[in-house]
Amino acid sequence: MIPYAAPIRDLQFVLKDMGLLEQVMQLPGCGEVTPDLVDAILEEAGKFASEQLAPINYSGDKQGASIENGVVRVPDGYTEAYHAFVEGGWNSVPFEAEYGGQELPWTIATAVTEMWQSANMAWALCPLLNQGAVEALQVHGTPEQQAAYLPKMISGEWSGTMNLTEPQAGSDLSLIKTRAKRDGDHYRIQGMKIFITYGEHEMAENIIHLVLARCEDAPEGVRGISLFVVPKYILKDDGTPGERNDLRCVSIEHKTGINGSPTCVMSYGDNGGAIGYLVGEENRGLEYMFTMMNNARLAVGLQGLSIIERSYQQARSYALDRKQGRAGDKKLAPIADHADVRRMLMTMRSHAEAMRGLVLETMLALDQQKRHHDESWRLWSERRVGLLTPVIKGWFTDMAVELTSMGVQIHGGMGFIEETGIAQHFRDSRILPIYEGTNGIQAMDLVGRKLLRDEGKAAQEYLDEVHILITALNDVEGDDMAVIRKRFAIAVDTLEDATEWLLDTAKDNPDAVGGSAAYYLRAFGITAGGAVLARAARTCLEKLAQDPQGDTEFLKAKIATARFYAENILPQVPALFIAMEGGWQTLRTISDDAL
Amino acid sequence: MIPYAAPIRDLQFVLKDMGLLEQVMQLPGCGEVTPDLVDAILEEAGKFASEQLAPINYSGDKQGASIENGVVRVPDGYTEAYHAFVEGGWNSVPFEAEYGGQELPWTIATAVTEMWQSANMAWALCPLLNQGAVEALQVHGTPEQQAAYLPKMISGEWSGTMNLTEPQAGSDLSLIKTRAKRDGDHYRIQGMKIFITYGEHEMAENIIHLVLARCEDAPEGVRGISLFVVPKYILKDDGTPGERNDLRCVSIEHKTGINGSPTCVMSYGDNGGAIGYLVGEENRGLEYMFTMMNNARLAVGLQGLSIIERSYQQARSYALDRKQGRAGDKKLAPIADHADVRRMLMTMRSHAEAMRGLVLETMLALDQQKRHHDESWRLWSERRVGLLTPVIKGWFTDMAVELTSMGVQIHGGMGFIEETGIAQHFRDSRILPIYEGTNGIQAMDLVGRKLLRDEGKAAQEYLDEVHILITALNDVEGDDMAVIRKRFAIAVDTLEDATEWLLDTAKDNPDAVGGSAAYYLRAFGITAGGAVLARAARTCLEKLAQDPQGDTEFLKAKIATARFYAENILPQVPALFIAMEGGWQTLRTISDDAL
């Protein structure tokens, strides 16, 4: 198995060379997040990821999670790694200091989380879900709930889950049937939830379930859903876990990937009702859940980048090692010397770099949204994060499937043999376009909520910014930048046309929106990735000019990567706009019977 | 599990309405292949596929093939299905009548084979590999070898395999190490072969291995490879299987998909050497192997179509059944009513229709190559089949992964649960871009052997033909055809530019060819698929004009499908050409160390 090496230099490049850290440090409470501190964090996290998490990735997939008499067993090594993670303080990185968190900026937390997800996606889902639960309680929990649950969930001694889906209620949460009946100061919860990630396990002392349910007499639909805290073990008066609550894991799913992670069918209230505590007010549960869901969507997008990076590392290693055929003047050349294999490696690499920059820039905006002293800046940041969240979730995860497939392809026949380990990333990746809102839902979120609802304001802000970037690139000399600028400008102009087209078309034609939203999301992702790489190339050219004896090979590789992306990937944007304009027109022509 | 229904009406449309069968019937020996006979064959084959093969597809994947003490066990039901297949005469459909085959045209055999591969790809690999072996012996075997082996291989009582790959020799067969030592009238074979599909099993009485090996004193490289027949059981004087040969299955692979099919590591000659018989002359083995390989590549392309069709049927069924969310005036609508889901269904459907037409048209050319009385026609057909073989193998199978992934996506969370069955197609599909020559090899075959070697003659013939089609489409009235013609003409013009660019660029720049070949193959596939659908739409419009009371819904659906493809898929072609022209320029900029 190919070891995982955290891409520390690449992360440092985005954080430091591209100036993100400088902006982070200007935020209130972030003055101490110095470059040295960040270097130390990245180094330590990289070590933990490659030494503790990566080695149990393949074995965890092979062994899988299992259940016996209601007890869920995670794969060997998972529990030890979890305890080491908690003891190392890694679970608490981004959370509020008031409850024991380190309150490091999300920009830094995300750089670190990329590593956990690359090293072992199935394992890292446990802290990912916990993060969502912590955030929901940080924002919407009562002070008592916060005091009772947050310290342990932030340390990681307890873990958190999200319980949304029911068999009849997936993308459409208005159909939720789980019931909540008031019983004194708490509620009794009864119902069945499916697809509950880490819904049951023994790695943590307690599991704090956040559960969507319907109160008695609640209105129908999404406005009748409430959010509850339902602990696996009910807390005793001293705050420690006591009696077992009336909830259980009925079964775990047999999945295509992320097999180390138990995906649970949870039954609440088989014996009268699980005790649950209302979060916030009745009937506002979905609104609260979106607090955690938005962040979870960014986290799932990040998983897409992580698995691409992991697959890329393994494919690169294989391609440099495996020798087949003649190339150049070598009678027997590593397959990386064959142009088509090189093309695939560069496709994977350039996407990983574009995505890493894009998600970290978005996380900087999230930090600004949460911490900036200026309200108008906070509002600007909120719009930016809102706009890019579905792009990051949708584009990163669609590409995760395509690019981990490329990782398999580079391995030839060995790619299809499970022992090689590369197919696991491909299988694992397949959940990413589905969970936390399918990518169809993301596309509708982008076009409906993020574009049409504010009449294109957030999108126009973004487009104005990249237009300024294009103008600035005019001052950069050289062939590489000329090519990058040309391809990027076409993509941006097209994205602007596509945005206007959506704004013009939407009112009269819902099918035009629905049928083109996925193409728009893809076009947005590709263009936003292009913006990141264009900026990166400019930074590299500046650094090379300043210090021609510096890290030349590294910087030149980044410029070549940006140019590769400009010539190979950006040209898709105009094609996507053509499909947007006309593609939806035949969607309803064929009757269901003739489909 | 969703039952499989053979797409008989769609096959009839291509064969009969689009005029292929008429052309088949004009070929020598094909006069009796009447529409009625074809209808009967399709009906019976459809029944066999859906009743005997489809029901053991999911269970076969779950159970998988296994090995114990050298004995390979196929999944339950496989052997019974194989015997029923052989008894039904299905194994002998396309083969020479001289040895008991039915000698039906490949056009018809392919229509039928689509069904086996849709119903159960892992199972249907056994006859697929046998077909390649039969063809190699039909063309290159001695009369004695043909008499000894072909009747039983054609009936299916015995099965055949292809033994090419060794651990160090995959895409590069020049590296083969397996040795052959002359020993009287036969040879002794020693070596190890990997990835041998159905290399060992008990479904047939004997297994006839075709093995590539190197004779003593053979020249190095591909010109020193010979082809041998190596039966599992050596034939007795009466022609029946006798003593076991010195060969064995050492192990079977644990794969990502096609788990019902045993993929064997074969060891030859552990006890002195397996008895093998030379096919043709020494050192011409690779040339002979290409006889079977070309046909096998078409067969693997066909598998791509088959698995897309199977995944489409299941996704369509789910999308019409599963209700989530509001659409149009329905408060709770089937997800097929949501535009984005409809878009995905139409993407799958339109590709399946384009591919079905393209592979059958190519098979008609193959029949003409084999049977036409006019030599120049035979030569034309040979060029056409040669040109389209890598397109069919590469484009169909790349798309098979993408579109079975879409099939999973349409299922949402259920798609990732193995019991749903849709993920199996996605996993199964992943081998298709790899085996019988990776799609990178296909792209180089298209550009190197099929385009540059004849200085673009075959490609220009094809382009001339589609230009004539475009002109003819000018006479067809209506909006739908106007849109189709416009998008198709742009794709064709671009493909022509791309072809000229390759011819101009190739001499000076091997990287431009290698780095753009995959894009060219994709562009060729998309355009050729567009040609098929444009012709199909014209046929439908003509039929509607002739008989406005006819099969209106079916014909209108085909027109809408062609237009959907024109607006959603064909616009990719210009983007691919832009990537061709510039994309390769950065491939060598980054050193191996900086990758």
Side-chain angles (χ1 to χ4, degrees), chain A residues 167-168 170 172 254 256 316 322 324-325 337 342 405 418 430 433 519 553 568 588 590-592 595, chain B residues 167-168 170 172 254 256 316 322 324-325 337 342 405 409 418 430 519 553 568 588 590-592 594-595:
Chain A
Q168 77 294 345
D172 186 351
H254 174 217
T256 305
R316 175 182 63 194
R322 169 77 171 172
Q324 292 281 284
D337 280 9
R342 202 82 171 185
S405 179
E418 283 289 328
R430 194 63 201 74
Y519 297 137
E553 207 175 16
N568 288 268
R588 305 286 177 199
I590 305 183
S591 69
D592 287 355
L595 255 184
Chain B
Q168 77 295 344
D172 185 352
H254 173 218
T256 306
R316 174 182 63 192
R322 170 78 170 173
Q324 291 282 283
D337 280 9
R342 202 83 170 184
S405 179
Q409 186 67 19
E418 283 290 328
R430 195 61 201 75
Y519 296 137
E553 209 176 11
N568 287 268
R588 305 285 177 199
I590 305 184
S591 69
D592 287 355
L595 254 183

Side-chain angles (χ1 to χ4, degrees), chain A residues 58 62 166-173 175 194-195 220 253-258 263 312 316 320 322-326 330-332 334 336-340 342-343 345-347 349 401-402 405-406 408-409 412-419 423 426-428 430-431 433-434 438-440 480 487 510-511 514-516 518-519 553-554 556-558 560-561 563-564 567-569 571-572 575 578-579 582-595, chain B residues 58 62 166-173 175 194-195 220 253-258 263 312 316 320 322-326 330-332 334 336-340 342-343 345-347 349 401-402 405-406 408-409 412-419 423 426-428 430-431 433-434 438-440 480 487 510-511 514-515 518-519 553-554 556-558 560-561 563-564 567-569 571-572 575 578-579 582-595:
Chain A
Y58 172 75
K62 203 168 171 185
E166 299 177 9
Q168 77 294 345
S171 295
D172 186 351
L173 291 171
L175 303 173
I194 62 169
F195 299 159
E220 271 193 22
E253 305 290 358
H254 174 217
K255 307 186 298 291
T256 305
I258 52 167
T263 302
Y312 171 63
R316 175 182 63 194
L320 291 171
R322 169 77 171 172
K323 291 191 173 70
Q324 292 281 284
R326 185 186 295 266
K330 291 182 203 154
K331 256 186 88 173
L332 187 59
D337 280 9
H338 295 291
D340 188 58
R342 202 82 171 185
R343 176 188 65 80
L345 288 170
M346 288 297 291
T347 303
R349 175 196 165 103
V401 179
E402 287 188 32
S405 179
M406 215 170 244
V408 171
Q409 186 68 19
M414 290 308 295
F416 202 62
I417 306 302
E418 283 289 328
E419 280 79 2
F426 173 64
R427 290 187 290 97
D428 284 353
R430 194 63 201 74
I431 189 59
I434 295 172
T438 65
N439 285 358
D480 288 326
R487 291 291 156 209
D511 265 357
S516 66
Y519 297 137
E553 207 175 16
F554 176 83
K556 283 187 173 164
K558 285 243 176 302
T561 302
R563 180 168 168 176
F564 176 90
E567 297 194 284
N568 288 268
I569 310 302
Q572 293 171 29
I578 296 171
W584 55 274
Q585 305 202 38
T586 37
L587 289 177
R588 305 286 177 199
T589 315
I590 305 183
S591 69
D592 287 355
D593 290 342
L595 255 184
Chain B
Y58 172 74
K62 204 170 170 184
E166 300 177 10
Q168 77 295 344
S171 295
D172 185 352
L173 291 172
L175 304 174
I194 63 169
F195 299 159
E220 269 193 26
E253 306 289 357
H254 173 218
K255 307 187 298 292
T256 306
I258 52 167
T263 302
Y312 171 63
R316 174 182 63 192
L320 292 171
R322 170 78 170 173
K323 290 191 173 69
Q324 291 282 283
R326 185 185 295 266
K330 291 181 203 154
K331 255 185 87 172
L332 187 59
D337 280 9
H338 296 291
D340 188 58
R342 202 83 170 184
R343 176 189 65 79
L345 288 170
M346 288 296 290
T347 303
R349 176 196 166 102
V401 180
E402 286 187 32
S405 179
M406 215 170 243
V408 171
Q409 186 67 19
M414 291 308 295
F416 202 62
I417 306 302
E418 283 290 328
E419 281 78 2
F426 173 64
R427 290 187 290 98
D428 285 352
R430 195 61 201 75
I431 190 57
I434 295 173
T438 66
N439 285 358
D480 288 326
R487 291 289 157 210
D511 265 358
Y519 296 137
E553 209 176 11
F554 176 84
K556 284 188 172 164
K558 287 244 177 298
T561 302
R563 180 169 168 176
F564 176 90
E567 298 194 283
N568 287 268
I569 311 302
Q572 293 171 28
I578 296 171
W584 55 274
Q585 303 203 37
T586 37
L587 290 177
R588 305 285 177 199
T589 314
I590 305 184
S591 69
D592 287 355
D593 289 341
L595 254 183

Side-chain angles (χ1 to χ4, degrees), chain A residues 128-407:
Chain A
L128 187 156
L129 272 292
N130 179 63
Q131 174 185 312
V134 167
E135 286 201 78
L137 286 178
Q138 279 184 171
V139 179
H140 303 293
T142 63
E144 294 73 29
Q145 288 168 348
Q146 292 175 340
Y149 298 105
L150 283 178
K152 298 286 189 180
M153 292 171 77
I154 285 174
S155 71
E157 287 160 276
W158 303 349
S159 74
T161 71
M162 291 166 73
N163 287 241
L164 287 73
T165 306
E166 299 177 9
Q168 77 294 345
S171 295
D172 186 351
L173 291 171
S174 73
L175 303 173
I176 279 177
K177 286 182 185 165
T178 295
R179 300 314 240 169
K181 196 171 168 179
R182 185 178 275 279
D183 182 18
D185 67 341
H186 57 263
Y187 289 73
R188 292 285 179 170
I189 314 289
Q190 278 189 312
M192 174 164 289
K193 293 286 178 180
I194 62 169
F195 299 159
I196 309 309
T197 302
Y198 282 93
E200 177 55 34
H201 63 90
E202 310 278 324
M203 300 196 298
E205 287 167 13
N206 203 355
I207 302 175
I208 311 306
H209 301 287
L210 291 193
V211 180
L212 289 183
R214 227 173 249 297
C215 294
E216 295 169 288
D217 309 321
E220 271 193 22
V222 291
R223 286 168 209 282
I225 296 171
S226 306
L227 180 62
F228 298 89
V229 188
V230 190
K232 173 178 169 186
Y233 297 107
I234 299 159
L235 304 193
K236 292 187 288 198
D237 288 345
D238 66 358
T240 61
E243 215 178 313
R244 175 103 192 199
N245 207 344
D246 180 14
L247 60 90
R248 65 193 178 96
C249 172
V250 178
S251 62
I252 65 171
E253 305 290 358
H254 174 217
K255 307 186 298 291
T256 305
I258 52 167
N259 288 314
S261 148
T263 302
C264 302
V265 176
M266 300 295 296
S267 182
Y268 290 88
D270 289 352
N271 299 302
I275 292 178
Y277 309 99
L278 183 68
V279 177
E281 298 169 26
E282 283 192 358
N283 300 331
R284 293 184 60 189
L286 209 63
E287 182 191 329
Y288 303 154
M289 205 54 131
F290 264 97
T291 306
M292 63 198 270
M293 206 130 72
N294 276 325
N295 224 329
R297 286 174 175 184
L298 286 168
V300 170
L302 181 66
Q303 290 188 303
L305 159 61
S306 293
I307 200 116
I308 292 167
E309 170 69 28
R310 183 75 190 267
S311 179
Y312 171 63
Q313 288 192 13
Q314 189 164 346
R316 175 182 63 194
S317 171
Y318 185 81
L320 291 171
D321 187 55
R322 169 77 171 172
K323 291 191 173 70
Q324 292 281 284
R326 185 186 295 266
D329 50 8
K330 291 182 203 154
K331 256 186 88 173
L332 187 59
I335 61 170
D337 280 9
H338 295 291
D340 188 58
V341 174
R342 202 82 171 185
R343 176 188 65 80
M344 292 193 276
L345 288 170
M346 288 297 291
T347 303
M348 297 178 80
R349 175 196 165 103
S350 61
H351 278 87
E353 291 199 3
M355 290 171 178
R356 184 173 293 117
L358 185 58
V359 73
L360 291 175
E361 284 179 3
T362 306
M363 288 309 196
L364 169 61
L366 185 68
D367 284 323
Q368 290 169 334
Q369 174 190 337
K370 288 180 189 283
R371 301 188 189 233
H372 205 282
H373 57 83
D374 182 61
E375 198 200 345
S376 68
W377 199 306
R378 289 199 303 274
L379 289 172
W380 172 91
S381 303
E382 192 179 350
R383 286 193 298 277
R384 174 60 50 89
V385 174
L387 179 72
L388 291 182
T389 296
V391 173
I392 286 172
K393 200 285 179 177
W395 181 52
F396 285 25
T397 63
D398 275 348
M399 291 313 298
V401 179
E402 287 188 32
L403 297 176
T404 55
S405 179
M406 215 170 244

Side-chain angles (χ1 to χ4, degrees), chain B residues 17-32:
Chain B
D17 298 334
M18 289 187 70
L20 272 67
L21 186 55
E22 212 180 312
Q23 293 181 69
V24 167
M25 286 182 69
Q26 288 164 11
L27 293 172
C30 296
E32 286 167 27

